Amino acid sequence: MEAFIQSLADFIARHAAWAGLVLGLVTLLESLALIGAFIPATALMVMAGGLIAAGVLDPVQVVLWCVAGAIVGDAVSFELGRRLGPRALRHPVFKGHRRKVARTRLFNRQYGAASIFIGRFFGPLRAFVPLVAGLLQMRRRTFQVANALSAVIWVLAILAPGYFAAKGLAELEALGEAHLTTIAAITLGGLVIIGLVVREVLRRRAAAGAPPVFAKPRA
């Protein structure tokens, strides 16, 4: 796997025009249920952050493609789950993933729409959260809003370590107070969005006495 990651990273570095598309496809595949655990999108995106800092890759292209890939991948898994329904959890294809599916199901039941945000950053469950949300019949609008917002925050958060590592502390300081303020504002804004979503979901759940983001299972 390390050889594959290195060869793909070399291709991205040599063919900057294709970097966004390649990273978007990799991000999409990592978001798909079952196969996502075998796709090294995170490692490649950290590397891409460094290439953005070095001026090799276009940040707008990379961010847009990666966000699109993350949104589409989770949306596909979600719709697959809705079509299959809760009974699909007994299918043999999930036999080797019973523990992960059970943990994800409990995770979704407990946190509702907030689980889509949290699941983006929780590696062992990331590829299963959208699928199980679909299996549990989470409302489409609720899922898609959480899916889109979390995708933007996740992509920026994964690109950031490689970007800042490449820039180095000295160059980061040289950006000036205005740029640092902008970066801080964007980061704070993302955290505020997550906090508001989590608070609203928990408030509604407490008021209703049951998870309101899930519809009744289809017969």
Side-chain angles (χ1 to χ4, degrees), residues 78-79 82 108 112-113 116 130 132-147 204-205 208 210-216:
F78 174 77
E79 290 300 331
R82 283 188 65 89
N108 263 307
I116 308 303
V132 174
L135 291 173
L136 297 179
Q137 306 299 297
M138 180 182 283
R139 294 168 184 160
R140 281 192 176 92
R141 181 177 179 181
T142 299
F143 173 81
Q144 295 299 353
V145 170
N147 180 24
R204 291 187 181 184
R205 284 165 56 85
V213 295
F214 294 101
K216 292 182 178 180

Side-chain angles (χ1 to χ4, degrees), residues 178-195:
H179 290 80
L180 291 175
T181 301
T182 301
I183 294 171
I186 293 173
T187 303
L188 180 60
L191 294 175
V192 169
I193 290 174
I194 293 176

Side-chain angles (χ1 to χ4, degrees), residues 116-202:
I116 308 303
F117 279 85
I118 302 170
R120 289 276 190 198
F121 297 88
F122 193 37
L125 301 182
R126 182 163 60 240
F128 292 91
V129 169
L131 176 69
V132 174
L135 291 173
L136 297 179
Q137 306 299 297
M138 180 182 283
R139 294 168 184 160
R140 281 192 176 92
R141 181 177 179 181
T142 299
F143 173 81
Q144 295 299 353
V145 170
N147 180 24
L149 292 176
S150 64
V152 174
I153 296 171
W154 179 74
V155 167
L156 294 177
I158 298 301
L159 290 172
Y163 178 86
F164 289 125
K167 281 290 185 181
L169 182 59
E171 192 166 346
L172 179 60
E173 292 176 350
L175 286 174
E177 183 178 348
H179 290 80
L180 291 175
T181 301
T182 301
I183 294 171
I186 293 173
T187 303
L188 180 60
L191 294 175
V192 169
I193 290 174
I194 293 176
L196 290 175
V197 171
V198 172
R199 187 183 70 174
E200 181 65 16
V201 170
L202 294 179

Side-chain angles (χ1 to χ4, degrees), residues 25-112:
L25 290 175
V26 172
T27 303
L28 187 155
L29 292 174
E30 191 196 39
S31 301
L32 295 178
L34 301 179
I35 69 171
F38 304 99
I39 307 299
T42 301
L44 288 171
M45 288 174 65
V46 171
M47 176 275 301
L51 293 177
I52 290 174
V56 176
L57 302 182
D58 177 12
V60 175
Q61 182 189 68
V62 171
V63 170
L64 289 180
W65 276 107
C66 287
V67 168
I71 292 174
V72 173
D74 274 18
V76 169
S77 294
F78 174 77
E79 290 300 331
L80 177 62
R82 283 188 65 89
R83 283 184 173 274
L84 294 176
R87 296 178 182 177
L89 292 172
R90 297 192 293 269
H91 194 279
V93 72
F94 293 107
K95 186 176 181 180
H97 304 278
R98 296 294 185 193
R99 182 172 296 180
K100 288 182 179 179
V101 171
R103 290 171 64 192
T104 307
R105 189 174 186 179
L106 178 62
F107 187 62
N108 263 307
R109 285 289 191 189
Q110 184 175 0
Y111 295 105

